[in-house]
Amino acid sequence: MNSKSSPTWLVHGALFVVSLIFGINSVTAKIAMKEIDPMALVFIRIVSAAIILFILQKFFIREKIQSARDYFLLAFFSLFGITINQVLFLKGLALTTAINATILVTTIPVATIAVALILRKEAASVRKILGTILSFVGVFFLLGTERIDFRNDYFVGNLFVFLNAVSFGIYLVISRNLLRRYHPATVTAWTFIFGAIGVFPFGIQQVMATDFFSISPAGWWCITFLIIFSSVIVYYINNWALQRTSSSTVAVYIYVQPIIATLISTLMMGEDLRWQTVFASLLIFAGVFIVSLKMREELNSTKKEKDLFIESAAMRED
């Protein structure tokens, strides 16, 4: 377990990188799914990432899981963080619009705070609730209600993306306890290993039916990005940040993703940067700032918990 504390700016930076990658994720996934079945893409992404993460953990971290109970917990976490999350997101993205998916994914912070309060993992905070609402308003202002389409044609896709958001919110809350005892790379690797087992029945048939030689170079670049960046790198960084602050602080950075997606589309498609975009971005970042006001206090609290854990472990060894 890594017991080192980290400065606030570094945790913020890590969470911004996570949002940057996830902001690009929807675009690359949508491009890839033009050439490959969503369930085949889930299978290839998760299984490939699991192999890479296992090799890295095996040769560089070399940390062993201490008990059968922890293996069970990792398998349980992977159900929400990988299997349900990835299957429902890509299947939902294929059945709804990108705008709808972007809006529904931003319910992750709300779901995370609700789960944390229900399970009593975090204390209720006016600042967290206020910041979450402020950022949520910013997302709607950024995308524009006229671009959101919740017709019955997209009901199943919308439902899948929403349930994906709830699933990931549950994962952020319940996985923190295990991250206090293990290196984030260890938790990430085993989460993906169990996740690969979980997605096997959903994607193996589609993979067998896929004509890999027909996939274009652009399609392969998108698949590679989804494996390396959207899986291996982003989950490690996310778990690293989750080890050092609250699940609601990690979740609220979801609101940064629409800004990134909008800026990418602006740069790639040559669209003008509207004043509405700037104003909405300010609302979103204001919400993130309000939620993160307690981050230093949370970091200090986490450090104290780790110090107590180390001290108690040393006493047992004596």
Side-chain angles (χ1 to χ4, degrees), residues 20 36 54 123 140 181 186 203 208 227 267 285:
L20 176 63
I36 187 171
F54 175 76
F140 269 90
R181 297 188 284 115
T186 302
M208 298 297 291
I227 294 170
L267 292 172
F285 279 120

Side-chain angles (χ1 to χ4, degrees), residues 184-228:
T186 302
V187 175
T188 305
W190 281 103
T191 301
F192 267 86
I193 290 169
F194 284 116
I197 298 171
V199 302
F200 190 87
F202 295 99
I204 186 61
Q205 186 176 352
Q206 287 79 359
V207 169
M208 298 297 291
T210 300
D211 180 9
F212 291 100
F213 293 101
S214 66
I215 300 175
S216 67
W220 279 116
W221 275 112
C222 289
I223 293 171
T224 302
F225 179 89
L226 291 170
I227 294 170
I228 302 299

Side-chain angles (χ1 to χ4, degrees), residues 123-196:
S125 170
V126 174
R127 279 183 286 189
K128 288 178 182 178
I129 296 172
L130 177 62
T132 300
I133 294 173
L134 188 61
S135 291
F136 197 62
V137 170
V139 170
F140 269 90
F141 197 87
L142 173 67
L143 298 177
T145 55
E146 73 279 358
R147 299 172 64 189
I148 303 167
D149 192 347
F150 285 157
R151 290 179 297 176
N152 291 336
D153 296 351
Y154 302 125
F155 175 77
V156 175
N158 293 338
L159 179 62
F160 282 174
V161 176
F162 173 72
L163 291 177
N164 143 77
V166 174
S167 176
F168 194 68
I170 293 172
Y171 167 76
L172 289 177
V173 174
I174 65 177
S175 61
R176 282 197 73 217
N177 186 45
L178 204 63
L179 281 164
R180 292 173 180 172
R181 297 188 284 115
Y182 291 102
H183 193 284
T186 302
V187 175
T188 305
W190 281 103
T191 301
F192 267 86
I193 290 169
F194 284 116

Side-chain angles (χ1 to χ4, degrees), residues 146-309:
E146 73 279 358
R147 299 172 64 189
I148 303 167
D149 192 347
F150 285 157
R151 290 179 297 176
N152 291 336
D153 296 351
Y154 302 125
F155 175 77
V156 175
N158 293 338
L159 179 62
F160 282 174
V161 176
F162 173 72
L163 291 177
N164 143 77
V166 174
S167 176
F168 194 68
I170 293 172
Y171 167 76
L172 289 177
V173 174
I174 65 177
S175 61
R176 282 197 73 217
N177 186 45
L178 204 63
L179 281 164
R180 292 173 180 172
R181 297 188 284 115
Y182 291 102
H183 193 284
T186 302
V187 175
T188 305
W190 281 103
T191 301
F192 267 86
I193 290 169
F194 284 116
I197 298 171
V199 302
F200 190 87
F202 295 99
I204 186 61
Q205 186 176 352
Q206 287 79 359
V207 169
M208 298 297 291
T210 300
D211 180 9
F212 291 100
F213 293 101
S214 66
I215 300 175
S216 67
W220 279 116
W221 275 112
C222 289
I223 293 171
T224 302
F225 179 89
L226 291 170
I227 294 170
I228 302 299
F229 289 93
S230 298
S231 300
V232 174
I233 294 177
V234 81
Y235 269 82
Y236 170 78
I237 297 175
N238 199 67
N239 282 340
W240 179 89
L242 195 57
Q243 196 179 50
R244 290 159 171 79
T245 188
S246 69
S247 53
S248 57
T249 301
V250 173
V252 83
Y253 264 84
I254 299 293
Y255 290 128
V256 179
Q257 294 177 27
I259 300 176
I260 294 168
T262 301
L263 290 176
I264 289 173
S265 63
T266 300
L267 292 172
M268 293 180 65
M269 300 177 69
E271 298 178 358
D272 294 330
L273 186 63
R274 302 177 302 165
W275 70 266
Q276 290 94 332
T277 301
V278 176
F279 180 70
S281 299
L282 291 175
L283 282 177
I284 293 169
F285 279 120
V288 172
F289 176 74
I290 291 172
V291 172
S292 62
L293 283 175
K294 281 191 173 182
M295 181 177 281
R296 187 175 299 277
E297 180 182 328
E298 291 169 347
L299 291 173
N300 291 335
S301 176
T302 303
K303 184 178 184 300
K304 288 178 181 178
E305 290 175 359
K306 291 177 180 179
D307 290 342
L308 287 172
F309 178 85

